């Protein structure tokens, strides 16, 4: 294997950072790499906000499901799905007049445009993460930025066709974090399909969950009645308050994007 593959296979989330700062030069390298990421039609349907104001970081540590380490991260980037820039260019470029001349209605951004812009933003974010990793700088994705949509729009002055997709914290890991073992991933046979999707059978689901169930069993009996990894995931992730809020927030995001409802402040 080569150095790039080693880097990809050994990357892990880092939530505790040393006192070593991320330099301006390193930040610029990370941003340059992010902006070279693959993008739909070379449109770069994303924007990136460098979150440097400590008051903003402190507030994000609360609004993103109460994660104090966000406030301590040396470098924080907010990746946004952004069709506002192109829509403004369409208006400034006289697209409306040309549509009228052709007798067609000028189209507004819709759900597909939002999803495409989200893909662009996430590809840029992952490219930034790998660039940082190559510099020895750890990172952690914060999906909870999708929650509290109205609050985050107000915090970062987001217009109609801009939506938060992911927040990423960067910093040099502490020695303990650097030495921390990577979490196990699922076996490839449950994730990678050939030619068509394969829905797992009950026996395959049992085999898929077995390593996680073994880990839970080794930890001893629980006091909450949860007996296996599927139950744990359902109550800890899928039906948890943050997940319910995330779905509500995304509905609000889509309603605003598609002009079904204004932003509620």
């Amino acid at each position: 294997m080569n150095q790039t593959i080693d880097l990809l296979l050994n990357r892990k989330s880092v939530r505790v950072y040393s006192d070593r700062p991320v330099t301006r030069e390193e930040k610029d390298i990370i941003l340059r790499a992010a902006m070279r990421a693959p993008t739909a039609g070379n449109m770069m349907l994303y924007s990136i906000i460098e979150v440097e104001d400590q008051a903003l970081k402190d507030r994000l540590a609360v609004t993103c499901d109460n994660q104090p380490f966000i406030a301590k991260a040396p470098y924080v980037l907010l990746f946004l799905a952004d069709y506002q820039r192109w829509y403004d260019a369409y208006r400034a470029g006289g697209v409306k007049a040309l549509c009228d001349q052709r007798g067609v209605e000028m189209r507004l951004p819709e759900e597909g445009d939002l999803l495409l812009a989200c893909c662009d933003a996430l590809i840029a974010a992952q490219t930034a993460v790998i660039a940082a990793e190559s510099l020895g700088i750890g990172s952690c994705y914060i999906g909870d930025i999708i929650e509290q949509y109205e609050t985050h729009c107000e915090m970062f002055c987001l217009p109609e066709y801009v939506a938060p997709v992911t927040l990423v914290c960067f910093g040099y890991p502490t020695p303990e974090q650097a030495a921390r073992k990577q979490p196990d991933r699922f076996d490839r046979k449950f994730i990678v399909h050939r030619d068509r999707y394969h829905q797992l059978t009950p026996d395959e689901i049992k085999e898929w969950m077995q390593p996680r169930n073994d880990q839970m069993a080794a930890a001893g009996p629980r006091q909450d009645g949860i007996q296996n990894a599927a139950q744990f995931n359902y109550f800890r992730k899928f039906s948890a308050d943050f997940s319910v809020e995330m779905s509500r927030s995304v509905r609000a995001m889509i309603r605003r994007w598609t002009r079904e409802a204004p932003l509620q402040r």
Side-chain angles (χ1 to χ4, degrees), residues 47-49 51 60 64 76-81 117-126 128-129 140-147 163-170 253:
S47 286
I48 305 170
I49 294 179
V51 185
L60 284 169
C64 291
V76 178
L77 294 179
L78 173 57
F79 290 83
L80 306 162
C118 287
C119 291
D120 260 20
L122 287 170
I123 295 168
Q126 180 62 7
V129 162
C140 184
Y141 278 98
I142 309 296
D144 302 278
I145 192 67
I146 301 175
E147 302 168 43
V165 175
T166 192
L167 190 75
V168 185
C169 295
F170 297 89
M253 182 188 304

PDB file of all heavy atoms in Angstrom, residues 47-49 51 60 64 76-81 117-126 128-129 140-147 163-170 253:
ATOM      1  N   SER A  47     -20.544  26.736  -0.123  1.00  0.00           N
ATOM      2  CA  SER A  47     -19.722  27.786   0.466  1.00  0.00           C
ATOM      3  C   SER A  47     -19.145  27.254   1.767  1.00  0.00           C
ATOM      4  O   SER A  47     -19.685  26.307   2.359  1.00  0.00           O
ATOM      5  CB  SER A  47     -20.537  29.058   0.730  1.00  0.00           C
ATOM      6  OG  SER A  47     -20.815  29.738  -0.477  1.00  0.00           O
ATOM      7  N   ILE A  48     -18.058  27.850   2.195  1.00  0.00           N
ATOM      8  CA  ILE A  48     -17.380  27.436   3.424  1.00  0.00           C
ATOM      9  C   ILE A  48     -17.218  28.655   4.317  1.00  0.00           C
ATOM     10  O   ILE A  48     -16.756  29.706   3.867  1.00  0.00           O
ATOM     11  CB  ILE A  48     -15.991  26.846   3.114  1.00  0.00           C
ATOM     12  CG1 ILE A  48     -16.084  25.701   2.099  1.00  0.00           C
ATOM     13  CG2 ILE A  48     -15.308  26.375   4.402  1.00  0.00           C
ATOM     14  CD1 ILE A  48     -14.730  25.237   1.567  1.00  0.00           C
ATOM     15  N   ILE A  49     -17.625  28.515   5.559  1.00  0.00           N
ATOM     16  CA  ILE A  49     -17.426  29.585   6.542  1.00  0.00           C
ATOM     17  C   ILE A  49     -16.363  29.144   7.542  1.00  0.00           C
ATOM     18  O   ILE A  49     -16.500  28.083   8.176  1.00  0.00           O
ATOM     19  CB  ILE A  49     -18.731  29.930   7.273  1.00  0.00           C
ATOM     20  CG1 ILE A  49     -19.753  30.532   6.303  1.00  0.00           C
ATOM     21  CG2 ILE A  49     -18.459  30.914   8.426  1.00  0.00           C
ATOM     22  CD1 ILE A  49     -21.092  30.871   6.941  1.00  0.00           C
ATOM     23  N   VAL A  51     -15.195  29.514  10.971  1.00  0.00           N
ATOM     24  CA  VAL A  51     -15.795  29.985  12.219  1.00  0.00           C
ATOM     25  C   VAL A  51     -14.662  30.299  13.194  1.00  0.00           C
ATOM     26  O   VAL A  51     -14.095  29.406  13.829  1.00  0.00           O
ATOM     27  CB  VAL A  51     -16.748  28.927  12.808  1.00  0.00           C
ATOM     28  CG1 VAL A  51     -17.446  29.496  14.048  1.00  0.00           C
ATOM     29  CG2 VAL A  51     -17.776  28.494  11.771  1.00  0.00           C
ATOM     30  N   LEU A  60     -22.174  27.198  19.122  1.00  0.00           N
ATOM     31  CA  LEU A  60     -22.283  25.951  18.369  1.00  0.00           C
ATOM     32  C   LEU A  60     -22.127  24.737  19.279  1.00  0.00           C
ATOM     33  O   LEU A  60     -22.758  23.704  19.058  1.00  0.00           O
ATOM     34  CB  LEU A  60     -21.231  25.904  17.257  1.00  0.00           C
ATOM     35  CG  LEU A  60     -21.500  26.764  16.030  1.00  0.00           C
ATOM     36  CD1 LEU A  60     -20.265  26.817  15.144  1.00  0.00           C
ATOM     37  CD2 LEU A  60     -22.705  26.246  15.246  1.00  0.00           C
ATOM     38  N   CYS A  64     -25.315  22.426  18.690  1.00  0.00           N
ATOM     39  CA  CYS A  64     -25.017  21.139  18.038  1.00  0.00           C
ATOM     40  C   CYS A  64     -25.019  20.023  19.072  1.00  0.00           C
ATOM     41  O   CYS A  64     -24.024  19.326  19.290  1.00  0.00           O
ATOM     42  CB  CYS A  64     -23.686  21.217  17.307  1.00  0.00           C
ATOM     43  SG  CYS A  64     -23.720  22.293  15.855  1.00  0.00           S
ATOM     44  N   VAL A  76     -12.433  25.528  12.856  1.00  0.00           N
ATOM     45  CA  VAL A  76     -13.789  25.025  12.597  1.00  0.00           C
ATOM     46  C   VAL A  76     -14.271  25.544  11.252  1.00  0.00           C
ATOM     47  O   VAL A  76     -14.210  26.752  10.983  1.00  0.00           O
ATOM     48  CB  VAL A  76     -14.767  25.472  13.713  1.00  0.00           C
ATOM     49  CG1 VAL A  76     -16.188  24.992  13.404  1.00  0.00           C
ATOM     50  CG2 VAL A  76     -14.312  24.943  15.073  1.00  0.00           C
ATOM     51  N   LEU A  77     -14.751  24.639  10.415  1.00  0.00           N
ATOM     52  CA  LEU A  77     -15.292  25.003   9.105  1.00  0.00           C
ATOM     53  C   LEU A  77     -16.741  24.558   9.004  1.00  0.00           C
ATOM     54  O   LEU A  77     -17.076  23.420   9.343  1.00  0.00           O
ATOM     55  CB  LEU A  77     -14.483  24.348   7.976  1.00  0.00           C
ATOM     56  CG  LEU A  77     -13.039  24.793   7.790  1.00  0.00           C
ATOM     57  CD1 LEU A  77     -12.395  24.027   6.643  1.00  0.00           C
ATOM     58  CD2 LEU A  77     -12.957  26.295   7.536  1.00  0.00           C
ATOM     59  N   LEU A  78     -17.584  25.454   8.519  1.00  0.00           N
ATOM     60  CA  LEU A  78     -18.979  25.156   8.246  1.00  0.00           C
ATOM     61  C   LEU A  78     -19.161  25.039   6.740  1.00  0.00           C
ATOM     62  O   LEU A  78     -18.874  25.981   5.995  1.00  0.00           O
ATOM     63  CB  LEU A  78     -19.871  26.266   8.807  1.00  0.00           C
ATOM     64  CG  LEU A  78     -21.367  26.196   8.463  1.00  0.00           C
ATOM     65  CD1 LEU A  78     -21.972  24.866   8.903  1.00  0.00           C
ATOM     66  CD2 LEU A  78     -22.113  27.371   9.085  1.00  0.00           C
ATOM     67  N   PHE A  79     -19.628  23.880   6.289  1.00  0.00           N
ATOM     68  CA  PHE A  79     -19.849  23.632   4.865  1.00  0.00           C
ATOM     69  C   PHE A  79     -21.332  23.778   4.560  1.00  0.00           C
ATOM     70  O   PHE A  79     -22.179  23.164   5.213  1.00  0.00           O
ATOM     71  CB  PHE A  79     -19.354  22.240   4.474  1.00  0.00           C
ATOM     72  CG  PHE A  79     -17.859  22.117   4.502  1.00  0.00           C
ATOM     73  CD1 PHE A  79     -17.187  21.860   5.692  1.00  0.00           C
ATOM     74  CD2 PHE A  79     -17.113  22.272   3.345  1.00  0.00           C
ATOM     75  CE1 PHE A  79     -15.810  21.757   5.731  1.00  0.00           C
ATOM     76  CE2 PHE A  79     -15.731  22.171   3.361  1.00  0.00           C
ATOM     77  CZ  PHE A  79     -15.079  21.913   4.560  1.00  0.00           C
ATOM     78  N   LEU A  80     -21.623  24.592   3.557  1.00  0.00           N
ATOM     79  CA  LEU A  80     -22.997  24.956   3.220  1.00  0.00           C
ATOM     80  C   LEU A  80     -23.349  24.536   1.801  1.00  0.00           C
ATOM     81  O   LEU A  80     -22.555  24.725   0.875  1.00  0.00           O
ATOM     82  CB  LEU A  80     -23.171  26.478   3.320  1.00  0.00           C
ATOM     83  CG  LEU A  80     -22.773  27.133   4.641  1.00  0.00           C
ATOM     84  CD1 LEU A  80     -22.582  28.629   4.438  1.00  0.00           C
ATOM     85  CD2 LEU A  80     -23.839  26.871   5.698  1.00  0.00           C
ATOM     86  N   ALA A  81     -24.534  23.977   1.636  1.00  0.00           N
ATOM     87  CA  ALA A  81     -25.095  23.824   0.294  1.00  0.00           C
ATOM     88  C   ALA A  81     -25.497  25.225  -0.165  1.00  0.00           C
ATOM     89  O   ALA A  81     -26.184  25.947   0.557  1.00  0.00           O
ATOM     90  CB  ALA A  81     -26.310  22.899   0.333  1.00  0.00           C
ATOM     91  N   ALA A 117     -26.426  20.177  -4.257  1.00  0.00           N
ATOM     92  CA  ALA A 117     -25.547  21.098  -3.530  1.00  0.00           C
ATOM     93  C   ALA A 117     -25.037  20.466  -2.237  1.00  0.00           C
ATOM     94  O   ALA A 117     -23.889  20.686  -1.835  1.00  0.00           O
ATOM     95  CB  ALA A 117     -26.277  22.406  -3.238  1.00  0.00           C
ATOM     96  N   CYS A 118     -25.880  19.660  -1.585  1.00  0.00           N
ATOM     97  CA  CYS A 118     -25.437  18.945  -0.385  1.00  0.00           C
ATOM     98  C   CYS A 118     -24.304  17.987  -0.727  1.00  0.00           C
ATOM     99  O   CYS A 118     -23.318  17.872   0.014  1.00  0.00           O
ATOM    100  CB  CYS A 118     -26.600  18.170   0.235  1.00  0.00           C
ATOM    101  SG  CYS A 118     -27.833  19.187   1.082  1.00  0.00           S
ATOM    102  N   CYS A 119     -24.430  17.290  -1.863  1.00  0.00           N
ATOM    103  CA  CYS A 119     -23.359  16.386  -2.299  1.00  0.00           C
ATOM    104  C   CYS A 119     -22.068  17.159  -2.525  1.00  0.00           C
ATOM    105  O   CYS A 119     -20.987  16.728  -2.082  1.00  0.00           O
ATOM    106  CB  CYS A 119     -23.775  15.660  -3.576  1.00  0.00           C
ATOM    107  SG  CYS A 119     -25.109  14.459  -3.363  1.00  0.00           S
ATOM    108  N   ASP A 120     -22.154  18.289  -3.210  1.00  0.00           N
ATOM    109  CA  ASP A 120     -20.970  19.113  -3.449  1.00  0.00           C
ATOM    110  C   ASP A 120     -20.302  19.516  -2.138  1.00  0.00           C
ATOM    111  O   ASP A 120     -19.076  19.457  -1.991  1.00  0.00           O
ATOM    112  CB  ASP A 120     -21.352  20.370  -4.233  1.00  0.00           C
ATOM    113  CG  ASP A 120     -21.048  20.250  -5.725  1.00  0.00           C
ATOM    114  OD1 ASP A 120     -20.914  19.109  -6.208  1.00  0.00           O
ATOM    115  OD2 ASP A 120     -20.955  21.292  -6.398  1.00  0.00           O
ATOM    116  N   ALA A 121     -21.111  19.958  -1.182  1.00  0.00           N
ATOM    117  CA  ALA A 121     -20.579  20.421   0.098  1.00  0.00           C
ATOM    118  C   ALA A 121     -19.886  19.292   0.853  1.00  0.00           C
ATOM    119  O   ALA A 121     -18.810  19.473   1.440  1.00  0.00           O
ATOM    120  CB  ALA A 121     -21.693  21.024   0.946  1.00  0.00           C
ATOM    121  N   LEU A 122     -20.493  18.102   0.832  1.00  0.00           N
ATOM    122  CA  LEU A 122     -19.913  16.975   1.561  1.00  0.00           C
ATOM    123  C   LEU A 122     -18.630  16.470   0.911  1.00  0.00           C
ATOM    124  O   LEU A 122     -17.688  16.074   1.603  1.00  0.00           O
ATOM    125  CB  LEU A 122     -20.932  15.846   1.663  1.00  0.00           C
ATOM    126  CG  LEU A 122     -22.085  16.105   2.643  1.00  0.00           C
ATOM    127  CD1 LEU A 122     -23.159  15.041   2.490  1.00  0.00           C
ATOM    128  CD2 LEU A 122     -21.580  16.157   4.079  1.00  0.00           C
ATOM    129  N   ILE A 123     -18.589  16.482  -0.423  1.00  0.00           N
ATOM    130  CA  ILE A 123     -17.357  16.070  -1.106  1.00  0.00           C
ATOM    131  C   ILE A 123     -16.226  17.043  -0.774  1.00  0.00           C
ATOM    132  O   ILE A 123     -15.079  16.637  -0.527  1.00  0.00           O
ATOM    133  CB  ILE A 123     -17.587  15.989  -2.624  1.00  0.00           C
ATOM    134  CG1 ILE A 123     -18.589  14.874  -2.943  1.00  0.00           C
ATOM    135  CG2 ILE A 123     -16.281  15.731  -3.361  1.00  0.00           C
ATOM    136  CD1 ILE A 123     -19.101  14.904  -4.371  1.00  0.00           C
ATOM    137  N   ALA A 124     -16.540  18.331  -0.749  1.00  0.00           N
ATOM    138  CA  ALA A 124     -15.531  19.330  -0.380  1.00  0.00           C
ATOM    139  C   ALA A 124     -15.076  19.134   1.062  1.00  0.00           C
ATOM    140  O   ALA A 124     -13.879  19.247   1.374  1.00  0.00           O
ATOM    141  CB  ALA A 124     -16.095  20.738  -0.576  1.00  0.00           C
ATOM    142  N   ALA A 125     -16.018  18.836   1.951  1.00  0.00           N
ATOM    143  CA  ALA A 125     -15.674  18.625   3.356  1.00  0.00           C
ATOM    144  C   ALA A 125     -14.745  17.431   3.527  1.00  0.00           C
ATOM    145  O   ALA A 125     -13.743  17.498   4.252  1.00  0.00           O
ATOM    146  CB  ALA A 125     -16.942  18.430   4.179  1.00  0.00           C
ATOM    147  N   GLN A 126     -15.064  16.327   2.854  1.00  0.00           N
ATOM    148  CA  GLN A 126     -14.218  15.146   2.990  1.00  0.00           C
ATOM    149  C   GLN A 126     -12.828  15.389   2.402  1.00  0.00           C
ATOM    150  O   GLN A 126     -11.825  14.900   2.939  1.00  0.00           O
ATOM    151  CB  GLN A 126     -14.878  13.943   2.312  1.00  0.00           C
ATOM    152  CG  GLN A 126     -14.084  12.652   2.400  1.00  0.00           C
ATOM    153  CD  GLN A 126     -13.867  12.151   3.822  1.00  0.00           C
ATOM    154  OE1 GLN A 126     -14.410  12.693   4.781  1.00  0.00           O
ATOM    155  NE2 GLN A 126     -13.065  11.118   3.974  1.00  0.00           N
ATOM    156  N   ALA A 128     -11.307  18.240   2.440  1.00  0.00           N
ATOM    157  CA  ALA A 128     -10.630  19.035   3.470  1.00  0.00           C
ATOM    158  C   ALA A 128     -10.139  18.142   4.606  1.00  0.00           C
ATOM    159  O   ALA A 128      -9.024  18.326   5.126  1.00  0.00           O
ATOM    160  CB  ALA A 128     -11.575  20.104   4.005  1.00  0.00           C
ATOM    161  N   VAL A 129     -10.945  17.191   5.003  1.00  0.00           N
ATOM    162  CA  VAL A 129     -10.585  16.273   6.090  1.00  0.00           C
ATOM    163  C   VAL A 129      -9.337  15.466   5.733  1.00  0.00           C
ATOM    164  O   VAL A 129      -8.421  15.313   6.556  1.00  0.00           O
ATOM    165  CB  VAL A 129     -11.781  15.336   6.394  1.00  0.00           C
ATOM    166  CG1 VAL A 129     -11.339  14.104   7.179  1.00  0.00           C
ATOM    167  CG2 VAL A 129     -12.849  16.090   7.181  1.00  0.00           C
ATOM    168  N   CYS A 140     -13.133  16.078  13.080  1.00  0.00           N
ATOM    169  CA  CYS A 140     -14.368  15.413  13.512  1.00  0.00           C
ATOM    170  C   CYS A 140     -15.560  16.092  12.845  1.00  0.00           C
ATOM    171  O   CYS A 140     -15.713  17.317  12.926  1.00  0.00           O
ATOM    172  CB  CYS A 140     -14.508  15.469  15.031  1.00  0.00           C
ATOM    173  SG  CYS A 140     -15.958  14.561  15.641  1.00  0.00           S
ATOM    174  N   TYR A 141     -16.372  15.301  12.178  1.00  0.00           N
ATOM    175  CA  TYR A 141     -17.606  15.813  11.581  1.00  0.00           C
ATOM    176  C   TYR A 141     -18.653  16.049  12.656  1.00  0.00           C
ATOM    177  O   TYR A 141     -18.798  15.262  13.590  1.00  0.00           O
ATOM    178  CB  TYR A 141     -18.163  14.801  10.586  1.00  0.00           C
ATOM    179  CG  TYR A 141     -17.539  14.831   9.216  1.00  0.00           C
ATOM    180  CD1 TYR A 141     -16.539  13.931   8.865  1.00  0.00           C
ATOM    181  CD2 TYR A 141     -17.965  15.738   8.260  1.00  0.00           C
ATOM    182  CE1 TYR A 141     -15.976  13.945   7.604  1.00  0.00           C
ATOM    183  CE2 TYR A 141     -17.407  15.758   6.994  1.00  0.00           C
ATOM    184  CZ  TYR A 141     -16.411  14.868   6.667  1.00  0.00           C
ATOM    185  OH  TYR A 141     -15.857  14.883   5.416  1.00  0.00           O
ATOM    186  N   ILE A 142     -19.430  17.129  12.485  1.00  0.00           N
ATOM    187  CA  ILE A 142     -20.534  17.441  13.388  1.00  0.00           C
ATOM    188  C   ILE A 142     -21.814  17.494  12.547  1.00  0.00           C
ATOM    189  O   ILE A 142     -22.163  18.529  11.972  1.00  0.00           O
ATOM    190  CB  ILE A 142     -20.321  18.785  14.116  1.00  0.00           C
ATOM    191  CG1 ILE A 142     -18.934  18.837  14.766  1.00  0.00           C
ATOM    192  CG2 ILE A 142     -21.427  19.003  15.150  1.00  0.00           C
ATOM    193  CD1 ILE A 142     -18.710  17.826  15.866  1.00  0.00           C
ATOM    194  N   GLY A 143     -22.504  16.368  12.467  1.00  0.00           N
ATOM    195  CA  GLY A 143     -23.752  16.333  11.707  1.00  0.00           C
ATOM    196  C   GLY A 143     -24.866  17.118  12.365  1.00  0.00           C
ATOM    197  O   GLY A 143     -25.856  17.481  11.712  1.00  0.00           O
ATOM    198  N   ASP A 144     -24.708  17.390  13.660  1.00  0.00           N
ATOM    199  CA  ASP A 144     -25.763  18.087  14.401  1.00  0.00           C
ATOM    200  C   ASP A 144     -25.972  19.523  13.939  1.00  0.00           C
ATOM    201  O   ASP A 144     -26.925  20.172  14.380  1.00  0.00           O
ATOM    202  CB  ASP A 144     -25.432  18.077  15.901  1.00  0.00           C
ATOM    203  CG  ASP A 144     -25.268  16.667  16.428  1.00  0.00           C
ATOM    204  OD1 ASP A 144     -26.287  16.036  16.728  1.00  0.00           O
ATOM    205  OD2 ASP A 144     -24.119  16.202  16.532  1.00  0.00           O
ATOM    206  N   ILE A 145     -25.110  20.026  13.049  1.00  0.00           N
ATOM    207  CA  ILE A 145     -25.334  21.364  12.501  1.00  0.00           C
ATOM    208  C   ILE A 145     -26.633  21.403  11.709  1.00  0.00           C
ATOM    209  O   ILE A 145     -27.217  22.472  11.493  1.00  0.00           O
ATOM    210  CB  ILE A 145     -24.136  21.786  11.609  1.00  0.00           C
ATOM    211  CG1 ILE A 145     -24.200  23.289  11.262  1.00  0.00           C
ATOM    212  CG2 ILE A 145     -24.085  20.960  10.342  1.00  0.00           C
ATOM    213  CD1 ILE A 145     -24.010  24.208  12.417  1.00  0.00           C
ATOM    214  N   ILE A 146     -27.128  20.243  11.273  1.00  0.00           N
ATOM    215  CA  ILE A 146     -28.398  20.186  10.536  1.00  0.00           C
ATOM    216  C   ILE A 146     -29.567  20.468  11.470  1.00  0.00           C
ATOM    217  O   ILE A 146     -30.639  20.896  11.035  1.00  0.00           O
ATOM    218  CB  ILE A 146     -28.552  18.814   9.847  1.00  0.00           C
ATOM    219  CG1 ILE A 146     -27.393  18.567   8.889  1.00  0.00           C
ATOM    220  CG2 ILE A 146     -29.864  18.726   9.069  1.00  0.00           C
ATOM    221  CD1 ILE A 146     -27.395  17.187   8.254  1.00  0.00           C
ATOM    222  N   GLU A 147     -29.375  20.236  12.764  1.00  0.00           N
ATOM    223  CA  GLU A 147     -30.416  20.576  13.738  1.00  0.00           C
ATOM    224  C   GLU A 147     -30.487  22.096  13.919  1.00  0.00           C
ATOM    225  O   GLU A 147     -29.618  22.828  13.467  1.00  0.00           O
ATOM    226  CB  GLU A 147     -30.112  19.910  15.085  1.00  0.00           C
ATOM    227  CG  GLU A 147     -29.998  18.397  15.040  1.00  0.00           C
ATOM    228  CD  GLU A 147     -29.427  17.843  16.327  1.00  0.00           C
ATOM    229  OE1 GLU A 147     -29.822  18.304  17.410  1.00  0.00           O
ATOM    230  OE2 GLU A 147     -28.559  16.945  16.245  1.00  0.00           O
ATOM    231  N   ALA A 163     -27.919  26.349   2.857  1.00  0.00           N
ATOM    232  CA  ALA A 163     -28.319  25.499   3.974  1.00  0.00           C
ATOM    233  C   ALA A 163     -27.099  24.821   4.592  1.00  0.00           C
ATOM    234  O   ALA A 163     -26.196  24.387   3.866  1.00  0.00           O
ATOM    235  CB  ALA A 163     -29.312  24.444   3.496  1.00  0.00           C
ATOM    236  N   PRO A 164     -27.058  24.713   5.918  1.00  0.00           N
ATOM    237  CA  PRO A 164     -25.932  24.033   6.577  1.00  0.00           C
ATOM    238  C   PRO A 164     -25.968  22.536   6.300  1.00  0.00           C
ATOM    239  O   PRO A 164     -27.027  21.909   6.394  1.00  0.00           O
ATOM    240  CB  PRO A 164     -26.151  24.341   8.060  1.00  0.00           C
ATOM    241  CG  PRO A 164     -27.623  24.601   8.177  1.00  0.00           C
ATOM    242  CD  PRO A 164     -28.044  25.221   6.885  1.00  0.00           C
ATOM    243  N   VAL A 165     -24.821  21.974   5.953  1.00  0.00           N
ATOM    244  CA  VAL A 165     -24.741  20.547   5.632  1.00  0.00           C
ATOM    245  C   VAL A 165     -23.883  19.809   6.656  1.00  0.00           C
ATOM    246  O   VAL A 165     -24.275  18.772   7.174  1.00  0.00           O
ATOM    247  CB  VAL A 165     -24.178  20.335   4.213  1.00  0.00           C
ATOM    248  CG1 VAL A 165     -23.981  18.848   3.924  1.00  0.00           C
ATOM    249  CG2 VAL A 165     -25.100  20.959   3.186  1.00  0.00           C
ATOM    250  N   THR A 166     -22.699  20.332   6.946  1.00  0.00           N
ATOM    251  CA  THR A 166     -21.870  19.714   7.978  1.00  0.00           C
ATOM    252  C   THR A 166     -20.905  20.735   8.558  1.00  0.00           C
ATOM    253  O   THR A 166     -20.515  21.693   7.891  1.00  0.00           O
ATOM    254  CB  THR A 166     -21.086  18.501   7.421  1.00  0.00           C
ATOM    255  OG1 THR A 166     -20.520  17.765   8.508  1.00  0.00           O
ATOM    256  CG2 THR A 166     -19.980  18.932   6.467  1.00  0.00           C
ATOM    257  N   LEU A 167     -20.570  20.525   9.804  1.00  0.00           N
ATOM    258  CA  LEU A 167     -19.548  21.307  10.501  1.00  0.00           C
ATOM    259  C   LEU A 167     -18.371  20.364  10.737  1.00  0.00           C
ATOM    260  O   LEU A 167     -18.570  19.185  11.057  1.00  0.00           O
ATOM    261  CB  LEU A 167     -20.104  21.804  11.835  1.00  0.00           C
ATOM    262  CG  LEU A 167     -19.290  22.827  12.618  1.00  0.00           C
ATOM    263  CD1 LEU A 167     -19.394  24.209  11.970  1.00  0.00           C
ATOM    264  CD2 LEU A 167     -19.801  22.900  14.066  1.00  0.00           C
ATOM    265  N   VAL A 168     -17.148  20.851  10.557  1.00  0.00           N
ATOM    266  CA  VAL A 168     -15.975  20.010  10.790  1.00  0.00           C
ATOM    267  C   VAL A 168     -15.012  20.740  11.724  1.00  0.00           C
ATOM    268  O   VAL A 168     -14.649  21.892  11.478  1.00  0.00           O
ATOM    269  CB  VAL A 168     -15.248  19.640   9.483  1.00  0.00           C
ATOM    270  CG1 VAL A 168     -14.106  18.651   9.790  1.00  0.00           C
ATOM    271  CG2 VAL A 168     -16.204  19.023   8.468  1.00  0.00           C
ATOM    272  N   CYS A 169     -14.624  20.054  12.798  1.00  0.00           N
ATOM    273  CA  CYS A 169     -13.636  20.576  13.734  1.00  0.00           C
ATOM    274  C   CYS A 169     -12.272  19.990  13.393  1.00  0.00           C
ATOM    275  O   CYS A 169     -12.158  18.789  13.118  1.00  0.00           O
ATOM    276  CB  CYS A 169     -14.011  20.192  15.162  1.00  0.00           C
ATOM    277  SG  CYS A 169     -15.544  20.928  15.745  1.00  0.00           S
ATOM    278  N   PHE A 170     -11.242  20.830  13.441  1.00  0.00           N
ATOM    279  CA  PHE A 170      -9.880  20.404  13.126  1.00  0.00           C
ATOM    280  C   PHE A 170      -8.942  20.771  14.275  1.00  0.00           C
ATOM    281  O   PHE A 170      -9.131  21.792  14.936  1.00  0.00           O
ATOM    282  CB  PHE A 170      -9.367  21.100  11.862  1.00  0.00           C
ATOM    283  CG  PHE A 170     -10.132  20.787  10.604  1.00  0.00           C
ATOM    284  CD1 PHE A 170     -11.231  21.561  10.233  1.00  0.00           C
ATOM    285  CD2 PHE A 170      -9.744  19.733   9.785  1.00  0.00           C
ATOM    286  CE1 PHE A 170     -11.922  21.290   9.059  1.00  0.00           C
ATOM    287  CE2 PHE A 170     -10.431  19.457   8.607  1.00  0.00           C
ATOM    288  CZ  PHE A 170     -11.526  20.232   8.245  1.00  0.00           C
ATOM    289  N   MET A 253     -35.974  23.270   6.483  1.00  0.00           N
ATOM    290  CA  MET A 253     -35.011  23.645   5.461  1.00  0.00           C
ATOM    291  C   MET A 253     -35.605  23.472   4.070  1.00  0.00           C
ATOM    292  O   MET A 253     -35.509  24.372   3.217  1.00  0.00           O
ATOM    293  CB  MET A 253     -33.756  22.771   5.605  1.00  0.00           C
ATOM    294  CG  MET A 253     -32.631  23.077   4.646  1.00  0.00           C
ATOM    295  SD  MET A 253     -31.310  21.821   4.765  1.00  0.00           S
ATOM    296  CE  MET A 253     -30.889  21.904   6.522  1.00  0.00           C
TER     297      MET A 253
END
